[in-house]
Amino acid sequence: MESTTQIRFPYDQSIVKELPLLNKNEIEDILVTAEQLFNDQPNWIPAYKRIEILEKAAVIMNDRSEELIHIAISEGGKPYKDSKAEILRAIKGVKLAAEHISQLKGEQIPMGLTEASVNRIAFTSKEPIGVVAAVSAFNHPLNLAVHQVATAVAAGCPVIFKPSSNTPLSGIALAAILKEAGLPNGWLQIVLCDNETAELLVTDPRIHFLTFIGSAKVGWYLKSKLAAGTRCALEHGGAAPVIVESDADFTEMIPDLVKGGFYHAGQVCVSVQKVYVNQEISDRFIKQFSEAVDKLIVGNPFDKTTDVGSLITPKEVDRVEEWVNEAVAEGARLITGGKRISDTCFEPTILFDPSEGSKVSTNEIFGPVVCVYPFKNREEAIKRANALNVHFQAAVFTKNIDAALDTAKKLNATAVMINDNTAFRVDWMPFGGRDSSGLGMGGISYTIEDMTREKLTVFKSKSL
């Protein structure tokens, strides 16, 4: 009997679609197709054609943006205004991928610097790395697909894309659009399968590059199982610490932190999670922050007034509720929220000074919860912010340039935002975690470069 997966609307758990899962035998056919395309070098898609395909895909996506927004909401549960922003980003991402193709270039390597290297000219060039396996996450179903699929198309690599089983419809829609835009058969294959079959796919020696966005536990496990020679990029989560100094501008900061903490119900790898506030202003901060959070509208993500939608599954609501209750039992003061609204929604929650040992302090929450910790000494706050082994994006709010630069230097993060929230991202910037938060840097152009490899060509001639 054929196995299937049910895609449910996270808000009310109604079934949106039921799709078949591939089995291990079907994975073999997919790998054979991808390998044959890569080995057939004379028929690689030329650069000008890749540009045409991606540019046309961006036009089609723009024409169908409302349809894509609807798909993303129905499977991911992100509110309308945020899903709309995601689709606009995804369109821009496809354009960025098309533009970067013209930047895939090598350089001349000097020769004649020693007697042994005379009569030679040498240069490097970029080639596609090979077959790409892309494993994606649920929280930005279209934009993440663009970051993993459009980049592979731009690099000239056949790509096998495994979307999250919760949110595969956006990736499937992207594949249909790319095909309509002229991408030849086989260059993008969508794989819906269980975890065991996915492991079989990504660890196959015919895979040259793995791009993985998801949990650290799974990502690092898969990396340990990769075939010799397979390169990879891993993007996991963090705890997104923020340092707030006593001279911070509340007018700018409060809305920034509310957005950064509760966008997509906190289900973002760089959501504001741990805010360290100078105790001189902590009472004022708590008052203004909680007043702003209390104004957030929680509800159906299709409603254009909704600020915070549902979590991806009821199981996640159970987990967040358990963690919040544990934090309160261990001494945290509940400022606002703290309760489930339904099986699928949880109140936007602020916890004050939870124990450093509570799960909300030691793990990525991935829910609508922000923890606030008072500090006397900024050095101590930075030390606490750096204490976990996850390090991704961080932030500092201050109008003192020396304090800002000092904090940015000392925070262990791949990116530090000054007077902005930790969730800031544009798709042309480098983006990724360090230490256990990931490996390599994403961002459209960075990923395309990752999916290429260099070749050195050396001419020897008496005429040189």
Side-chain angles (χ1 to χ4, degrees):
M1 186 178 165
E2 188 178 60
S3 297
T4 61
T5 183
Q6 290 182 337
I7 295 93
R8 294 178 179 269
F9 177 36
Y11 182 68
D12 64 11
Q13 290 297 291
S14 57
I15 296 174
V16 178
K17 202 158 193 177
E18 189 162 359
L19 294 171
L21 293 175
L22 297 183
N23 60 41
K24 293 175 182 178
N25 295 332
E26 291 169 302
I27 291 294
E28 176 60 24
D29 293 340
I30 282 166
L31 282 162
V32 166
T33 297
E35 184 187 37
Q36 286 177 346
L37 285 171
F38 181 64
N39 288 341
D40 183 15
Q41 193 174 24
N43 288 309
W44 282 359
I45 308 172
Y48 77 88
K49 188 68 180 170
R50 302 198 304 269
I51 293 169
E52 280 177 15
I53 291 165
L54 290 169
E55 286 180 344
K56 188 173 180 184
V59 170
I60 298 169
M61 289 169 74
N62 191 59
D63 291 343
R64 295 182 197 159
S65 58
E66 279 300 322
E67 181 187 329
L68 292 170
I69 292 166
H70 188 278
I71 292 169
I73 296 171
S74 68
E75 64 179 351
K78 190 189 296 175
Y80 179 89
K81 50 192 166 190
D82 296 328
S83 289
K84 182 177 181 178
E86 178 188 340
I87 272 62
L88 293 175
R89 276 182 62 189
I91 295 165
K92 176 66 174 172
V94 173
K95 292 177 181 176
L96 287 168
E99 289 164 6
H100 191 73
I101 293 170
S102 67
Q103 303 304 309
L104 293 173
K105 58 185 184 294
E107 62 179 358
Q108 185 175 342
I109 307 300
M111 290 288 142
L113 306 180
T114 60
E115 190 177 347
S117 64
V118 297
N119 300 126
R120 288 169 178 84
I121 188 169
F123 60 89
T124 59
S125 55
K126 294 284 181 72
E127 294 182 341
I129 193 170
V131 178
V132 170
V135 178
S136 205
F138 76 84
N139 51 343
H140 310 292
L142 186 65
N143 200 43
L144 295 183
V146 165
H147 274 263
Q148 295 175 291
V149 169
T151 48
V153 172
C157 298
V159 55
I160 303 167
F161 180 61
K162 184 204 170 295
S164 162
S165 56
N166 290 312
T167 57
L169 302 178
S170 294
I172 291 169
L174 177 64
I177 287 169
L178 284 166
K179 185 175 182 180
E180 188 179 336
L183 186 67
N185 286 339
W187 284 86
L188 167 57
Q189 299 177 87
I190 303 281
V191 171
L192 285 181
C193 61
D194 60 27
N195 291 339
E196 191 180 337
T197 308
E199 182 179 337
L200 192 75
L201 164 69
V202 303
T203 58
D204 190 279
R206 288 166 288 189
I207 297 296
H208 297 88
F209 188 84
L210 167 66
T211 163
F212 177 91
I213 302 173
S215 81
K217 182 180 177 184
V218 175
W220 291 110
Y221 169 77
L222 289 176
K223 180 181 181 294
S224 74
K225 299 288 183 181
L226 293 179
T230 302
R231 282 171 31 194
C232 71
L234 309 176
E235 186 185 305
H236 307 316
V242 179
I243 309 288
V244 178
E245 263 298 1
S246 54
D247 63 346
D249 183 330
F250 275 63
T251 310
E252 292 179 1
M253 173 178 65
I254 296 297
D256 258 0
L257 291 181
V258 171
K259 186 68 177 175
F262 299 100
Y263 163 70
H264 198 9
Q267 298 172 115
V268 180
C269 57
V270 285
S271 286
V272 170
Q273 177 172 327
K274 304 176 81 173
V275 184
Y276 296 91
V277 181
N278 189 309
Q279 70 173 24
E280 293 173 16
I281 57 163
S282 62
D283 288 346
R284 181 181 165 212
F285 177 87
I286 284 291
K287 182 176 184 294
Q288 291 196 23
F289 188 46
S290 60
E291 283 173 357
V293 169
D294 286 341
K295 289 176 184 169
L296 292 172
I297 298 168
V298 183
N300 190 323
F302 278 108
D303 187 331
K304 293 182 181 181
T305 63
T306 295
D307 298 306
V308 180
S310 44
L311 273 74
I312 190 66
T313 62
K315 186 178 166 187
E316 290 300 294
V317 178
D318 295 341
R319 178 187 60 78
V320 171
E321 181 180 50
E322 185 185 306
W323 285 18
V324 169
N325 289 343
E326 175 201 74
V328 172
E330 292 176 353
R333 179 154 63 95
L334 182 63
I335 302 298
T336 191
K339 297 186 184 69
R340 65 167 62 231
I341 296 169
S342 65
D343 286 345
T344 61
C345 293
F346 198 85
E347 290 178 336
T349 298
I350 302 170
L351 294 170
F352 185 71
D353 209 14
S355 155
E356 290 289 355
S358 295
K359 287 191 183 74
V360 295
S361 294
T362 58
N363 293 274
E364 182 181 21
I365 296 171
F366 229 62
V369 181
V370 173
C371 301
V372 179
Y373 309 82
F375 72 83
K376 290 181 183 177
N377 178 282
R378 190 172 72 251
E379 293 292 330
E380 183 60 31
I382 293 168
K383 187 177 175 183
R384 290 167 69 191
N386 288 341
L388 302 181
N389 65 350
V390 288
H391 304 114
F392 207 138
Q393 297 201 159
V396 55
F397 284 84
T398 178
K399 292 301 180 182
N400 181 319
I401 191 167
D402 292 331
L405 293 173
D406 180 65
T407 306
K409 183 172 69 174
K410 290 173 180 173
L411 280 170
N412 188 358
T414 50
V416 179
M417 309 303 156
I418 296 171
N419 296 321
D420 203 351
N421 68 56
T422 58
F424 173 75
R425 182 186 187 185
V426 289
D427 296 296
W428 56 89
M429 79 186 206
F431 182 83
R434 58 168 64 165
D435 302 321
S436 68
S437 285
L439 182 68
M441 296 302 279
I444 296 291
S445 59
Y446 298 87
T447 299
I448 295 170
E449 293 291 338
D450 255 0
M451 291 175 177
T452 65
R453 52 187 174 187
E454 277 192 329
K455 176 174 280 182
L456 175 69
T457 303
V458 183
F459 273 99
K460 182 183 178 184
S461 169
K462 289 175 184 175
S463 300
L464 290 166

